[in-house]
Amino acid sequence: MRRVVAGVLVLAAAVGCGDAGGLEGAGSTPTAVGPARLWPELTPASSPAFEIGEVNTEPVKGVDVPADGDIRRVDPVGIVRAEIDANPGDYAGDKAPYRETDRRMADCAEGPGHGKCPVLRPYYRDLTGDGREDLTLGFRLLPGQTTVVRVYTVDEDRLMQVMAWEDALSGVELAGRSLVIRSPSEVAGYEYRLQWTWDRDQRAMLLTHDEMLRTGPRGHSRHPSAPPSARSSGSPSAPSPTPSSPSVSPSASGG
């Protein structure tokens, strides 16, 4: 009991001495406000109003998978050529929107990531949790600033595309079994951050986070600004609710 009283006296003396390292009050704690349910009289919907395409999977035709299922032995350039061949209206001809991508495929003789080849360096990591590496692949849509991002896995003897996205990119990161894409925003000082994570039930990479984050310094305004509105996207996948994003680190195994 004496030790407790003595400790209290020492602490009281330290607080009263006014040292820089003394205890300081943190101020008043804001009152917690619970969520307010709006329009409770509405009947909850049982089906979506629009076809969003959350599950984006398809077999890649025209690309062979080796008997051992090693995805590193699948040619990344061949995968992109197969996508181009499957969408000739986008790539073939002088008026095709991505005609320059088709033309520059001739520069891929040395492999992806070399010279003017539009196919970027491939990355390999086990994103599906089956103990085998999966392929994250990107290629440029030229002319323009858009980059395609795809994730592929081997399912039995087939190459399966399990994630697809196209956007102007600020950065791409692999974090655990997730893929994170950062894109510039039309709002100054903000960027979009989207995260796909493998879902074993859907057997696909699902868009699990979609948020707008501040990247630049805060501006000085007399009035509080309204929160940025959610982005509408015409890309293959659509935004989902936006919980906070975990921190990620750009670690991956290159090709």
Side-chain angles (χ1 to χ4, degrees), residues 187-190 214-225:
V187 181
Y190 287 85
R214 180 180 290 278
T215 58
R218 293 184 178 274
H220 298 284
S221 174
R222 295 182 179 180
H223 305 286
S225 59

Side-chain angles (χ1 to χ4, degrees), residues 55-252:
V55 181
N56 195 345
T57 63
E58 60 181 72
V60 180
K61 299 179 180 179
V63 177
D64 295 329
V65 175
D68 61 2
D70 184 1
I71 201 168
R72 282 183 176 263
R73 296 175 57 193
V74 180
D75 180 17
V77 174
I79 295 174
V80 177
R81 290 189 189 278
E83 179 163 339
I84 292 175
D85 292 343
N87 301 276
D90 292 335
Y91 298 95
D94 293 337
K95 295 184 179 180
Y98 312 129
R99 57 194 177 277
E100 191 63 24
T101 295
D102 187 30
R103 292 169 182 165
R104 290 197 188 180
M105 291 299 291
D107 298 319
C108 295
E110 297 183 10
H114 291 83
K116 294 184 178 181
C117 177
V119 184
L120 305 178
R121 173 189 175 188
Y123 287 88
Y124 300 89
R125 176 180 287 193
D126 179 11
L127 295 174
T128 62
D130 63 358
R132 300 184 302 179
E133 289 181 317
D134 303 297
L135 167 63
T136 301
L137 185 61
F139 65 95
R140 302 294 305 277
L141 294 179
L142 303 169
Q145 300 297 319
T146 303
T147 301
V148 169
V149 179
R150 303 282 190 259
V151 175
Y152 302 92
T153 189
V154 174
D155 184 6
E156 296 181 351
D157 59 346
R158 299 183 304 172
L159 183 68
M160 294 291 297
Q161 176 186 287
V162 295
M163 177 270 177
W165 190 254
E166 299 94 29
D167 207 343
L169 304 183
S170 301
V172 182
E173 300 165 345
L174 290 174
R177 292 178 184 168
S178 295
L179 174 73
V180 180
I181 293 178
R182 295 184 293 109
S183 299
S185 166
E186 66 275 11
V187 181
Y190 287 85
E191 71 173 9
Y192 295 115
R193 189 172 298 178
L194 294 86
Q195 176 176 321
W196 282 263
T197 304
W198 174 255
D199 185 281
R200 64 180 182 181
D201 294 327
Q202 299 298 326
R203 300 194 62 78
M205 301 285 287
L206 300 186
L207 182 56
T208 52
H209 292 74
D210 180 2
E211 56 191 347
M212 177 182 270
L213 299 177
R214 180 180 290 278
T215 58
R218 293 184 178 274
H220 298 284
S221 174
R222 295 182 179 180
H223 305 286
S225 59
S229 59
R231 173 178 60 160
S232 60
S233 172
S235 302
S237 301
S240 62
T242 60
S244 60
S245 172
S247 60
V248 294
S249 58
S251 61

